[in-house]
Amino acid sequence: MRPPATTGMREARLLGPADLPAALAVCAADPVAAVLAANRLEIATRAGLGAAGGQVWGWPAGGPLRAVCWSGANLVPVVPDPGDVPEAIEAFALAARRQGRRSSSIVGESGAALGLWNRLEAHWPPAREVRAHQPSLAIDHDPDVEPDPRVRLSRADELAVVLPACIAMFTEEVGYSPVAGGGTAYRERVRSLIDERRSYVSIERPDGVPGGEALVAFKAELGAVALGVAQVQGVWVDPQFRGRGWSESGMAAVVADARARVAPVVSLYVNGYNSRALRSYLRVGFEQVGTYATVLF
């Protein structure tokens, strides 16, 4: 049963440090759906909202929190009760209109993310792309396929090899280079993932040529970790190594290590039109637990 109505139902409020435990409790209602926001909230809890790189809004403005929205590089609404979506999203849209667009995307559970965009579309610049159907997958057991023993954590001295693969993946997935404007922030993001032991690679030589220049054949990162969930992002196989099943065995290696070392549940989301990737993840043992949506600017 939903809590009784409170004051401030039409508006969200800016949350401060004292509100972070309650905000994380909202996210804990569905940790897989909320992991992107919860990851930033956990950073804010440890190091402050400034270090987390954004702010968080809570709804309703008065009374116990029932929904939150992270506003940083991404705008991430979290509304655990579907019955709250219309009112909560209306309040978050009002806050977003007042702030103006600062995020490069709106992303999250599809009903909340698309509902937010529907209320912002008339007020913000046009979206570059709307990905309305992205199956959200999770696995909480050992992978169903044998992990690739070549997949391992990236080393700090491999940044020069890992970075080009990350740039290639991002460009292929999003449609523009993350280093087109200089790329210092993106390089530091890749470096931090390596330093935090969240970057995985297998490194090969082109066509098996001895002495050839090393390159990343498979890569993936744990892009967000919170509330017992590790979300895999940036999965990529170099084109010359595709068609060999390496995405499945590589992902199995990531799942096995992440579950043993980082979090008991591993998740990811995939574009609905990418049926080949979806089949691969299902063979590894992932199951669909929801649907994401992403609006790219």
Side-chain angles (χ1 to χ4, degrees), residues 247-268:
S247 62
E248 295 170 22
S249 59
M251 182 59 69
V254 173
V255 168
D257 180 78
R259 293 194 65 246
R261 195 175 53 83
V262 181
V265 176
V266 178
S267 74
L268 56 82

Side-chain angles (χ1 to χ4, degrees), residues 114-231:
L114 294 176
L116 188 53
W117 174 235
N118 286 341
R119 290 162 176 79
L120 291 174
E121 188 172 8
H123 305 275
W124 280 12
R128 187 165 50 83
E129 185 179 358
V130 177
R131 299 179 178 180
H133 181 71
Q134 298 174 303
S136 172
L137 312 178
I139 182 171
D140 62 0
H141 56 80
D142 290 340
D144 293 342
V145 302
E146 192 68 22
D148 187 340
R150 298 168 298 183
V151 173
R152 57 171 175 77
L153 291 169
S154 306
R155 299 193 304 263
D157 62 357
E158 293 175 322
L159 178 62
V161 177
V162 175
L163 182 60
C166 293
I167 293 170
M169 178 283 304
F170 188 102
T171 304
E172 186 176 317
E173 171 69 17
V174 182
Y176 65 89
S177 171
V179 297
T184 300
Y186 188 77
R187 178 186 177 91
E188 289 308 307
R189 169 66 172 166
V190 174
R191 184 196 301 276
S192 70
L193 288 169
I194 295 174
D195 291 344
E196 293 166 10
R197 294 166 59 83
R198 295 186 183 181
S199 168
Y200 296 87
V201 293
S202 67
I203 294 181
E204 302 287 334
R205 307 285 176 177
D207 301 319
V209 177
E213 184 178 355
L215 57 79
V216 170
F218 167 91
K219 78 160 200 75
E221 294 88 37
L222 303 181
V225 176
L227 299 175
V229 177
Q231 187 184 83

Side-chain angles (χ1 to χ4, degrees), residues 86-136:
E87 289 178 294
I89 292 304
E90 188 66 45
F92 293 148
L94 178 60
R97 291 198 300 268
R98 288 172 175 168
Q99 176 181 260
R101 189 184 73 78
R102 300 180 184 177
S103 304
S104 61
S105 72
I106 301 171
V107 60
E109 186 277 324
S110 60
L114 294 176
L116 188 53
W117 174 235
N118 286 341
R119 290 162 176 79
L120 291 174
E121 188 172 8
H123 305 275
W124 280 12
R128 187 165 50 83
E129 185 179 358
V130 177
R131 299 179 178 180
H133 181 71
Q134 298 174 303
S136 172

